[in-house]
Amino acid sequence: MSDRLSIQTNRADNVNPSEFRMLAQRLKEEHVQMREQLSDIRMLAAALYILDDCSIGMCRLIELQDRILSLVEELEQHSEWEEQVLFPSLQSYLHPTMAISVSRSMHVLEQDHDLAKSVVQSYVNGVNAMSVPIDMDFVHVMASELLT
């Protein structure tokens, strides 16, 4: 039982503990930063429901699109780092039974990233297709894309 729950080296070329801590710290910091950005985006989207002026709503939709695209770019860079550096390091550091569990978790994470990308693409398509003048219903529909 203890073998399944303990972290044991899987290979001779394993990650040393200080490198493992640095990887974990970077992972934590980047996730906190992206969660904060996502929270800001959601707050801006929620604020669209109390607007009275469609022209301000249009500007806010575009501002949100810029923020979302910036976050997506950061997420893609982060995902690339996870796939090329973090996950291979984890696989070499963990006991084989734990490595299988981590591999499954990575697959779920990739599915979450794909789902997020489809939501973002739907929002971007909507903003790119908007025509002037817009109405508040359109603003609310676009906001709901980011809040569901």
Side-chain angles (χ1 to χ4, degrees):
M1 177 73 155
S2 64
D3 282 346
R4 291 188 316 169
L5 300 176
S6 65
I7 297 178
Q8 298 179 359
T9 58
N10 193 14
R11 296 188 198 129
D13 61 342
N14 63 345
V15 178
N16 69 47
S18 64
E19 183 178 353
F20 186 77
R21 280 190 294 278
M22 288 181 354
L23 291 172
Q25 184 63 32
R26 177 177 172 181
L27 179 70
K28 180 181 175 181
E29 289 172 0
E30 289 184 6
H31 280 202
V32 166
Q33 178 186 2
M34 286 186 283
R35 270 192 227 103
E36 288 172 356
Q37 288 175 288
L38 187 57
S39 178
D40 290 346
I41 287 168
R42 291 178 65 86
M43 285 177 29
L44 285 172
L48 290 173
Y49 283 103
I50 60 172
L51 288 178
D52 295 330
D53 186 341
C54 291
S55 62
I56 292 173
M58 186 172 75
C59 292
R60 297 274 168 82
L61 290 174
I62 294 168
E63 177 187 351
L64 275 167
Q65 181 181 25
D66 291 343
R67 286 181 181 225
I68 291 166
L69 292 175
S70 175
L71 178 59
V72 166
E73 186 175 317
E74 287 180 38
L75 179 61
E76 287 176 355
Q77 290 171 359
H78 175 78
S79 295
E80 187 175 307
W81 171 77
E82 285 178 335
E83 291 172 12
Q84 293 178 359
V85 177
L86 179 66
F87 296 153
S89 296
L90 285 176
Q91 293 289 2
S92 69
Y93 195 71
L94 296 174
H95 186 274
T97 56
M98 288 294 290
I100 291 170
S101 177
V102 169
S103 180
R104 289 182 187 134
S105 296
M106 290 185 289
H107 180 70
V108 170
L109 185 60
E110 288 174 7
Q111 289 175 328
D112 286 348
H113 287 178
D114 291 342
L115 178 61
K117 287 177 186 177
S118 70
V119 169
V120 165
Q121 191 61 54
S122 175
Y123 179 83
V124 168
N125 290 345
V127 171
N128 287 342
M130 97 179 132
S131 57
V132 179
I134 64 169
D135 59 22
M136 289 311 294
D137 287 339
F138 178 80
V139 172
H140 293 161
V141 166
M142 295 309 298
S144 71
E145 290 273 335
L146 303 175
L147 296 173
T148 54

